[in-house]
Amino acid sequence: MTDTVSFGYHDVAPDEKTRRVGGVFSSVAARYDLMNDAMSGGMHRLWKDRFVRRVQPRAGEAILDMAGGTGDIAFRLARSGAAVTVADINPAMLEVGIDRARRPGRVSGSLVWTGANAETLTFPDRFFDAYTIAFGIRNVTDIPAALREAHRVLRRGGRFFCLEFSTTQWPGFAEIYDAYSHNVVPRVGELLAGDADSYRYLVESIRRFPDMPRFEAMIAEAGFVRTAVEPMLGGLVAIHSGWKI
Ligand code: SAM
């Protein structure tokens, strides 16, 4: 890995990024779900629904939802009857998820929650049928290492799916979104969560994330084949996928 990595618009030592990202998610955990609705006008729910439809989870499959946070993806996956492992580096995010799983009406029978760093997984080789990561990969310090680990823990024929913000190609929309995210998002973060800085980081980290062709190439470099990208809103959000053979 290089000497420095981006923490939003700042270049910092890798350890410092991991520590600071930890601080961000510990700070926002309690308000994370509310803020997602507020910032996206509820649209993150539609993106997540579409993402899980693409994964096509099936009963009896073993699926790893990496950087699963408060469980939004895992709850959707579990409805299929798949056995879902929700892994995240941040205990505060997992605690909120475990709490949500206990609420009445939640399909969470086949969910297992565990602390894990995406870069250094302790699961055996070829263990999972599918690996999902939603809005998590851009927060990981060593992204190539996390992609290699995703590849290692998937069985042959296993599938990789990543939902992440990217760069919209729609003329005009990019400028509007840029102004919204830099000006409005940190203010809403301050208002609803008392934390403008964390939301400033989340916006800046989107800008620093590789564009769709570059990220697709990184997925291929990790060993995945038949890689594909499905842009939404011109690429504001994208589903990247690949197969292990
Ligand atoms: N997947 C959830 C969702 O879509 O709502 C949560 C996404 S949240 C924006 C990003 C998550 O990535 C946080 O819960 C954070 O703790 C986790 N994360 C960041 N770096 C990680 C790492 N190296 N390994 C595992 N999880 C990580």
Side-chain angles (χ1 to χ4, degrees):
M1 212 186 1
T2 48
D3 292 347
T4 58
V5 288
S6 69
F7 175 80
Y9 290 157
H10 306 280
D11 291 322
V12 299
D15 285 359
E16 193 181 344
K17 169 161 179 171
T18 307
R19 191 179 53 73
R20 287 214 211 172
V21 167
V24 164
F25 286 104
S26 296
S27 165
V28 304
R31 294 271 162 144
Y32 177 77
D33 297 310
L34 168 76
M35 289 297 289
N36 272 348
D37 278 330
M39 304 287 188
S40 72
M43 271 194 302
H44 75 107
R45 293 168 185 258
L46 304 178
W47 300 332
K48 288 170 176 170
D49 286 345
R50 186 194 287 201
F51 178 67
V52 170
R53 277 201 302 277
R54 295 295 180 265
V55 178
Q56 293 190 304
R58 287 182 288 271
E61 283 193 322
I63 304 183
L64 177 60
D65 181 40
M66 182 49 61
T70 62
D72 267 5
I73 300 298
F75 294 133
R76 285 168 170 79
L77 291 167
R79 284 181 204 138
S80 66
V84 184
T85 302
V86 194
D88 199 285
I89 201 170
N90 193 296
M93 292 290 281
L94 286 172
E95 264 170 43
V96 174
I98 292 166
D99 210 47
R100 290 175 79 198
R102 292 198 189 106
R103 290 185 201 155
R106 189 67 83 180
V107 180
S108 53
S110 50
L111 285 185
V112 174
W113 303 80
T114 183
N117 184 342
E119 298 163 14
T120 50
L121 299 179
T122 52
F123 305 108
D125 295 356
R126 297 185 291 281
F127 194 74
F128 293 101
D129 298 293
Y131 175 111
T132 57
I133 183 162
F135 303 117
I137 197 80
R138 75 177 195 278
N139 299 295
V140 170
T141 304
D142 188 346
I143 294 174
L147 295 173
R148 284 193 300 272
E149 280 292 81
H151 191 267
R152 181 184 67 76
V153 300
L154 278 171
R155 68 168 175 78
R156 293 190 195 286
R159 51 215 197 275
F160 168 88
F161 282 92
C162 174
L163 177 66
E164 190 52 89
F165 286 104
S166 194
T167 312
T168 181
Q169 313 287 330
W170 285 350
F173 185 51
E175 289 73 22
I176 294 166
Y177 178 72
D178 222 46
Y180 164 78
S181 56
H182 281 97
N183 300 315
V184 180
V185 169
R187 282 190 206 156
V188 179
E190 180 61 47
L191 211 68
L192 294 185
D195 183 354
D197 285 347
S198 291
Y199 283 90
R200 199 165 291 121
Y201 156 74
L202 291 171
V203 168
E204 293 175 0
S205 63
I206 293 169
R207 291 293 160 281
R208 295 293 296 264
F209 191 67
D211 62 15
M212 289 180 279
R214 264 176 65 215
F215 186 50
E216 187 179 1
M218 288 168 76
I219 294 169
E221 270 160 36
F224 290 101
V225 299
R226 286 170 54 202
T227 57
V229 189
E230 181 182 352
M232 294 185 261
L233 297 177
L236 179 72
V237 179
I239 297 173
H240 284 80
S241 57
W243 293 75
K244 174 171 173 175
I245 55 167

